[in-house]
């Protein structure tokens, strides 16, 4: 089971960046645990523990397991680059 991670949507809308930072910092270990669960079986090891943080921070989706998870949950559209 993948843990729920608090996402500070209202704080982001209000541009309350200190609250955004604190919420994400408080969820760091849950995000790491969820990242590892989503990418279980991927070969990149410790980098997999940061896929959620990388996605939130800079929009990076460099892991196929995580990309598939996002697509299956309607968060990201299928990436056409994988079809080339």
């Amino acid at each position: 089971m993948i843990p729920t991670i608090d996402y500070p949507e209202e704080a982001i809308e209000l541009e309350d960046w200190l609250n955004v930072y604190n919420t994400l910092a408080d969820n760091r270990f849950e995000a790491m645990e969820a990242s590892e669960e989503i990418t279980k079986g991927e070969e990149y090891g410790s980098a997999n523990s940061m896929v959620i943080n990388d996605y939130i921070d800079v929009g990076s989706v460099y892991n196929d397991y995580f990309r598939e998870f996002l697509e299956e949950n309607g968060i990201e559209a299928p990436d056409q680059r994988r079809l080339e």
Side-chain angles (χ1 to χ4, degrees):
M1 179 175 169
I2 297 173
T4 299
I5 299 167
D6 292 332
Y7 184 77
E9 186 171 351
E10 184 177 337
I12 292 170
E13 290 173 6
L14 295 173
E15 298 182 10
D16 181 358
W17 305 122
L18 184 57
N19 190 7
V20 170
Y21 172 81
N22 287 332
T23 301
L24 295 176
D26 288 345
N27 284 284
R28 180 174 177 236
F29 294 111
E30 288 85 356
M32 290 174 67
E33 182 181 322
S35 294
E36 289 173 356
E37 186 64 30
I38 291 167
T39 60
K40 191 178 282 187
E42 181 70 50
E43 64 188 58
Y44 298 112
S46 63
N48 290 334
S49 68
M50 299 305 289
V51 295
I52 292 174
N53 286 332
D54 289 346
Y55 183 72
I56 291 171
D57 290 346
V58 295
S60 174
V61 182
Y62 60 86
N63 179 299
D64 284 337
Y65 283 81
F66 185 56
R67 182 179 307 286
E68 289 171 11
F69 173 82
L70 294 173
E71 291 169 1
E72 289 169 4
N73 288 280
I75 299 169
E76 286 275 323
D79 184 356
Q80 296 301 314
R81 291 173 298 170
R82 292 191 315 153
L83 302 175
E84 296 175 353

